[in-house]
Structures are given as structure tokens and as C-alpha cells.
């Protein structure tokens, strides 16, 4: 529902080689996540600093890394009165599975799935499909665009808008990064929806203009495989500055996003992906329809222009 992705069947198999309380999630036979649950107990997730202590076995919630406790069911009311979020073991596994599917949605989208999606659009609006395929893009090219969107948890349900945007821009360029950014701008209202507050406003972290220009100069484009080449001695301080800005902004908003130019966005996202996977990176073009955009923090540093 959130991603517009049809999830393939999930097979459940008992593995006697695993410890009794552990479970493992496999994608194409390879482990991508694991966790543990204690049957007969409940998981109580802490409300944060200042939480009232309760009796239980300390653990870490497997999806978001929150501090939690395994408690006896008899203590459920006590924990909820103290502000803890209490869930069943089955809910822990289900949530972990759902979040893992979202994180790997692009890998689950096969070429045949894309063809079926395109066939459905062709029944309703054949003109856009005939204009785009195969003259300007193949099904495989469209698959790569959709996989890029899913990798950053962008819903691909509005396939008509996606295909129309590709039809507008694919005749001029085949660069995957450029095409994806055009599509993201066309989907800007839907992308920013999840980050807006109750009043429709968007809280953002910006880059200091000299820093942004330095980073743009370090971009090495490469037909959908470009990179931001920051020198090792500058990479760690940059990650630290972004992390500090995120923590500062959390005092004012629950979902801050990092805002930058459309050209820099995909490369900056790729640079941050491994160290700060939960930091959303949006471009100026995507937030034009986001209502009021409020800057809550700015990332500043020197010497980012040193190239690797």
C-alpha cells in the first residue's frame, strides 16, 4: 500500500540450527535481517529518557534499534501506564518483515512485474506507453527507474505520471540519475506528504551554500552510477556534521529531511546511505508543492572540496 509494490509470497520455514528464540529473514536465499523474540513475553518499548523503570529483560527492538524490555503479560497495564509501547512477539516479527520489505523493495521488483504494471497502464492510457516503449526506453530501463524510486521508499503506484515524465525526458537523455530526478520532481507532492506536519509544513536541514558548491564540484556522474568523491579526511567530518544537524532538528520536528539541489541529491543520498540510512534527502524541485518549508538546521564545514 505504501510503495505500490506487489509483494511476492513469503515462505516460513523452521530451522533447527537457529537458537530457539531467533528468526532470520532471507532474500533470494541470503540473510538480510535477523532478530529474536521470547514467546510468552511482551515487548515493551521505552518512551525515551526519563522513562519510569519497570521489571523486565533488557533488549533492543530489532526494527528501529529502540531500547526495550521483555516483560510478563501481567505487567502490560503497568508498562502502558508508564508510557511504554507494548506489542506481541508476532507483531515484532511482522513489523520487522514489513520494514525489511520496504528497505529492499527495489530488489523484489522483477522485470516481469514491471511488464504487468505497464500492461495495466496500457489498457487505460495506451498513448503514453506507445510513445515511450520501445523507442526511448525498454522495460528494463523502466525497471531500473522504479527500483531507484523504491530504494528510497518512493511509492510507484502512480505509474501513469512516472511514464509520462519519462516520455517527456527520455528523448533528450538516457542518464538514469537525471531521469529519476525528473520523476521525483513530478511526484514531489506525494514524496513530501510523509514528511509534512499536521499543518502541511515541511521542516528541513539545509547545506551551507559554500559547502553545497564544494560537494557539487566533487560529483562524478556515470550513467546512473555516479558518485560523490569526498576525500577520506573530509568524509567522516561531513557525516558527523550531518548527523549533528539531524539530532538538533529532532528537537523541533519528528521527521527532518536534508534539502539540496536536484543535481547533487542522488549523489549525496548515495554518500549518506550506508552511515545514515534513515536520513531522507530531497531536492528543491520536490518541495515546491510542500506548503511552508521551514529550515531547522544548517550543515556547515570547511575543506569538503578536497577530492579523494
Amino acid at each position: 500500500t505504501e510503495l505500490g509494490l506487489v509483494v511476492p509470497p513469503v515462505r516460513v520455514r523452521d530451522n533447527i540450527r537457529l537458537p530457539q528464540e531467533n528468526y532470520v529473514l532471507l532474500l533470494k536465499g541470503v540473510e538480510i535481517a535477523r532478530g529474536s523474540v521470547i514467546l510468552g513475553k511482551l515487548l515493551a518499548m521505552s518512551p525515551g529518557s526519563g522513562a519510569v523503570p519497570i521489571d523486565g529483560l533488557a533488549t533492543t527492538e530489532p526494527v528501529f534499534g529502540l531500547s526495550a524490555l521483555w516483560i510478563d503479560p501481567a505487567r502490560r497495564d503497568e508498562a502502558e501506564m508508564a508510557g511504554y509501547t507494548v506489542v506481541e512477539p508476532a507483531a515484532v516479527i511482522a513489523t520487522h518483515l514489513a520494514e525489511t520489505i520496504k528497505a529492499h523493495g527495489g530488489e523484489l521488483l522483477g522485470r516481469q512485474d514491471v511488464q504487468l504494471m505497464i500492461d495495466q497502464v496500457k489498457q487505460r492510457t495506451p498513448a503514453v506507453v506507445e510513445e515511450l516503449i520501445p523507442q526511448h526506453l525498454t522495460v528494463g530501463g523502466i525497471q531500473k527507474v522504479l527500483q531507484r524510486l523504491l530504494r528510497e521508499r518512493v511509492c510507484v503506484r502512480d505509474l501513469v505520471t512516472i511514464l509520462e515524465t519519462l516520455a517527456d525526458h527520455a528523448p533528450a537523455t538516457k542518464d538514469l540519475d537525471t531521469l529519476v530526478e525528473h520523476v521525483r520532481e513530478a511526484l514531489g507532492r506525494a514524496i513530501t506528504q510523509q514528511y509534512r506536519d499536521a499543518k502541511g509544513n515541511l521542516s528541513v536541514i539545509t547545506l551551507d551554500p559554500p559547502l553545497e558548491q564544494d560537494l557539487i564540484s566533487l560529483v562524478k556522474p556515470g550513467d546512473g552510477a555516479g558518485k560523490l568523491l569526498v576525500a577520506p579526511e573530509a568524509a567522516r567530518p561531513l557525516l558527523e556534521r550531518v548527523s549533528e544537524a539531524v539530532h538538533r532538528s529532532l528537537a523541533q520536528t519528528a521527521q527532518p529531511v536534508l534539502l539540496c539541489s536536484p543535481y547533487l541529491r542522488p549523489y549525496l543520498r548515495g554518500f549518506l546511505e550506508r552511515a545514515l540510512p534513515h536520513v531522507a534527502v530531497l531536492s528543491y524541485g520536490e518541495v515546491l508543492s510542500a506548503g511552508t518549508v521551514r529550515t531547522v538546521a544548517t550543515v556547515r564545514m570547511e575543506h569538503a572540496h578536497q577530492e579523494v
Side-chain angles (χ1 to χ4, degrees):
T1 301
E2 290 181 32
L3 295 180
L5 176 70
V6 178
V7 179
V10 178
R11 290 179 292 181
V12 182
R13 186 178 67 192
D14 190 22
N15 187 339
I16 60 174
R17 289 177 295 179
L18 283 175
Q20 184 177 358
E21 298 168 351
N22 287 19
Y23 64 89
V24 173
L25 304 180
L26 306 178
L27 176 60
K28 300 176 182 177
V30 179
E31 179 181 332
I32 54 174
R34 68 166 52 217
S36 63
V37 294
I38 302 179
L39 299 182
K41 300 281 189 180
L42 298 175
L43 186 70
M45 288 172 281
S46 172
S49 58
V52 177
I54 59 174
D55 289 336
L57 179 63
T59 186
T60 300
E61 187 272 338
V63 181
F64 304 106
L66 304 173
S67 298
L69 298 167
W70 287 108
I71 63 172
D72 292 326
R75 293 190 175 274
R76 180 171 200 149
D77 290 343
E78 175 191 349
E80 290 179 341
M81 289 290 290
Y84 288 77
T85 301
V86 182
V87 295
E88 305 278 346
V92 175
I93 298 175
T95 302
H96 199 179
L97 175 61
E99 289 299 317
T100 302
I101 287 172
K102 293 176 191 175
H104 295 269
E107 297 175 65
L108 295 172
L109 185 69
R111 197 157 296 188
Q112 186 60 40
D113 300 321
V114 175
Q115 183 64 65
L116 292 173
M117 294 166 67
I118 293 171
D119 289 343
Q120 291 177 351
V121 172
K122 192 171 183 178
Q123 292 176 6
R124 305 191 308 271
T125 54
V128 65
V129 176
E130 293 167 0
E131 180 184 349
L132 179 63
I133 305 170
Q135 182 176 356
H136 299 299
L137 273 182
T138 63
V139 173
I142 295 170
Q143 178 194 16
K144 290 177 182 177
V145 170
L146 297 180
Q147 287 176 327
R148 284 290 191 92
L149 296 171
L150 288 169
R151 199 164 81 184
E152 295 191 52
R153 304 195 181 194
V154 174
C155 180
V156 297
R157 189 184 303 108
D158 188 3
L159 192 59
V160 172
T161 296
I162 294 172
L163 295 181
E164 286 180 345
T165 305
L166 292 175
D168 289 339
H169 297 283
T173 179
K174 297 298 184 287
D175 180 73
L176 185 60
D177 289 325
T178 302
L179 291 175
V180 170
E181 292 311 302
H182 284 307
V183 171
R184 287 181 63 101
E185 288 190 17
L187 298 174
R189 185 178 291 105
I191 291 174
T192 58
Q193 177 65 43
Q194 61 186 307
Y195 304 112
R196 295 184 227 169
D197 61 23
K199 296 180 180 178
N201 299 324
L202 188 69
S203 297
V204 302
I205 301 165
T206 59
L207 299 175
D208 192 35
L211 172 60
E212 184 162 8
Q213 290 303 312
D214 281 349
L215 294 177
I216 288 174
S217 71
L218 297 180
V219 168
K220 291 294 181 285
D223 191 24
K227 292 183 179 180
L228 183 63
L229 300 181
V230 181
E233 60 269 24
R236 182 178 293 276
L238 177 58
L239 290 171
E240 290 174 351
R241 297 293 186 278
V242 174
S243 181
E244 289 167 3
V246 170
H247 282 98
R248 289 199 308 274
S249 64
L250 286 173
Q252 303 181 55
T253 180
Q255 287 193 307
V257 300
L258 184 59
L259 190 64
C260 65
S261 74
Y263 179 73
L264 177 61
R265 196 211 69 79
Y267 309 111
L268 182 58
R269 178 69 187 102
F271 174 77
L272 298 174
E273 191 170 24
R274 188 166 296 180
L276 300 169
H278 298 299
V279 175
V281 183
L282 304 185
S283 75
Y284 304 128
E286 294 166 33
V287 304
L288 290 176
S289 57
T292 301
V293 178
R294 182 171 64 105
T295 301
V296 293
T298 300
V299 180
R300 292 184 173 88
M301 69 173 295
E302 297 177 357
H303 309 307
H305 62 275
Q306 295 177 0
E307 187 173 335
V308 69

